[in-house]
Amino acid sequence: MADARTRNRYFDDLFSTPDLAWMGQNTNHVPAHPAVTDAMIRSVEAGEFNAYAPPMGFEALRSAIVADLGAGSAEALVTEGGVNALAMICKARAKPGTTLVTTDPTWKWPCLFAEQAGAEVVQIPIYDPATSFKLTPEALRAAVDERCAIIYIVDPNNPLGIRYEREEIAAFAEIARSVGALMIHDCTYRDFADGHTPVLQVAPEGTVVSLSFSKWLGLAGMRIGALVAEPKLVDEFSAASTSVLGASVVAQRAAMAGLSVKPEWMQEVRRLDRANKAMIVAAAEAAGLSVPVPVSHGNFLVLETAGTGVSPEAIVEAARREGVMIRQGRYHTAAFGDRFIKVSTSVPSAWAERFCEGLPRYIETARTLNDVPALF
């Protein structure tokens, strides 16, 4: 438990930092839409938090999630954050003697869930400009066999920000089907992407989409997400759920309100996000960092640090000392983590400006740091 306590104290210290700029967890800090705030206030004032929610989520929210995804006859299961959906799926499918196949980088927690269930995790390197930082169908086909229980695709990829084309998603689904594997399409960042195709639109059988309201709607602290799949898979996964009393009632009211105003809300969020990205790319290049994927389809950017001569961890610590939270590459990948820092961009313009102004100073401070405390 020592590492868990250290990690908890680390984030507790961040929460205790006055005026902290949260720019490392891809959370959305654009001020909430009034409709979302009002929905939460009304729910609290009505005392709805005194009662348990329906275990699969309010029917209106389940329907709205499916409609928003364009998933036809699929069903939604509302969960306590997107990570809970992924944990549920891995618990249902990952077993000793099976594999979970994903990319490197990927989002690390489903890998942990699969390993906890006794499965082997196979990661395919994609940090390569030769493949446009993407997984290719050929590489995936070579990595799967009859042991494969799960193929896990994060799209847009966190942290790289690449997006897969419709044809690539269809090819991944076909490969999963050929070995009897489940394809998980983690669409957490799809609302920041142009031309995104959820797998359920091209291959509705034997696939599942995981979703989160943390990123596009800014509800990270409310813990609200979902999985969407054909009904028989929803039955299978819900049988493995530990959240038998449902997700937060207040969070679900906020999610329903968010979906009702999503077009106007995301137009403003994406406008700010694009402006922040342009600002950060320019500042990074001026400070000697490079940007391998300048057109990121997520609400974040990877900034390569090799040109600075200092480690990602030292830059992260230097920024933290000035009240800016960014993330080191090793959070995402052991193999490539020494190459980059990651910076979130769905934040107030003032935070992006603060990061850009401070970046040269963070690098100079980093040169003086001999010991960097544990980062998470």
Side-chain angles (χ1 to χ4, degrees):
M1 285 297 293
D3 288 344
R5 292 190 182 95
T6 301
R7 181 173 183 268
N8 195 73
R9 284 193 294 269
Y10 175 80
F11 284 102
D12 193 74
D13 287 344
L14 288 175
F15 259 95
S16 302
T17 302
D19 301 318
L20 179 72
W22 290 93
M23 298 183 67
Q25 294 182 299
N26 308 341
T27 43
N28 187 348
H29 298 269
V30 178
H33 192 288
V36 175
T37 304
D38 290 347
M40 289 190 284
I41 292 172
R42 288 196 305 272
S43 179
V44 171
E45 289 179 341
E48 288 190 327
F49 54 84
N50 294 137
Y52 296 118
M56 296 179 69
F58 286 114
E59 291 295 332
L61 177 57
R62 297 177 68 217
S63 297
I65 289 169
V66 173
D68 180 65
L69 193 65
S73 60
E75 268 194 275
L77 172 61
V78 178
T79 59
E80 295 169 291
V83 68
N84 183 272
L86 293 164
M88 191 185 309
I89 298 166
C90 290
K91 182 181 177 183
R93 284 295 177 101
K95 311 290 181 187
T98 68
T99 63
L100 178 147
V101 178
T102 187
T103 58
D104 187 3
T106 190
W107 199 47
K108 68 178 185 178
W109 299 112
C111 300
L112 174 64
F113 300 147
E115 288 174 341
Q116 289 172 336
E120 176 189 352
V121 173
V122 177
Q123 290 193 256
I124 306 168
I126 61 169
Y127 203 112
D128 185 355
T131 60
S132 300
F133 300 95
K134 285 184 170 187
L135 174 66
T136 65
E138 293 75 21
L140 179 60
R141 191 172 290 110
V144 301
D145 57 25
E146 69 282 353
R147 298 177 302 147
C148 182
I150 300 170
I151 293 173
Y152 175 57
I153 306 293
V154 186
D155 172 37
N157 177 269
N158 176 21
L160 287 167
I162 58 89
R163 171 190 57 75
Y164 292 102
E165 300 292 342
R166 185 182 186 91
E167 295 77 14
E168 293 170 313
I169 292 298
F172 297 156
E174 176 55 36
I175 292 167
R177 187 161 42 249
S178 72
V179 293
L182 174 76
M183 177 176 161
I184 304 175
H185 194 189
D186 185 336
C187 296
T188 296
Y189 301 100
R190 76 182 189 94
D191 299 293
F192 295 93
D194 294 322
H196 185 271
T197 303
V199 68
L200 294 172
Q201 293 183 5
V202 294
E205 297 180 359
T207 61
V208 57
V209 164
S210 64
L211 299 169
S212 172
F213 288 88
S214 297
K215 314 305 181 181
W216 73 269
L217 195 54
L219 297 181
M222 297 298 292
R223 309 312 306 132
I224 180 79
L227 63 83
V228 185
E230 58 184 321
K232 69 177 182 180
L233 288 181
V234 171
D235 290 342
E236 176 188 348
F237 302 143
S238 62
S241 175
T242 57
S243 299
V244 293
L245 299 178
S248 162
V249 171
V250 179
Q252 291 193 58
R253 296 302 190 199
M256 283 188 276
L259 287 171
S260 73
V261 297
K262 188 173 185 179
E264 64 175 281
W265 166 249
M266 284 309 297
Q267 183 176 359
E268 174 62 9
V269 170
R270 293 196 63 185
R271 182 190 68 78
L272 288 168
D273 182 71
R274 285 191 293 266
N276 288 339
K277 283 173 180 164
M279 188 191 320
I280 291 169
V281 167
E285 292 176 343
L289 293 87
S290 58
V291 187
V293 186
V295 181
S296 169
H297 289 275
N299 58 332
F300 44 81
L301 287 164
V302 160
L303 309 179
E304 292 187 330
T305 59
T308 68
V310 293
S311 72
E313 287 80 4
I315 297 174
V316 169
E317 172 60 13
R320 185 199 64 80
R321 293 181 180 190
E322 295 197 29
V324 177
M325 188 268 189
I326 57 176
R327 211 146 214 178
Q328 68 285 356
R330 284 188 178 88
Y331 171 80
H332 291 283
T333 166
F336 307 106
D338 61 341
R339 301 186 185 186
F340 66 92
I341 57 175
K342 185 193 69 178
V343 181
S344 305
T345 51
S346 56
V347 298
S349 301
W351 290 12
E353 292 166 2
R354 183 168 152 195
F355 170 79
C356 291
E357 184 274 332
L359 183 57
R361 195 166 56 251
Y362 307 155
I363 294 169
E364 288 309 307
T365 299
R367 298 187 196 283
T368 70
L369 299 180
N370 295 319
D371 296 309
V372 175
L375 302 173
F376 300 93

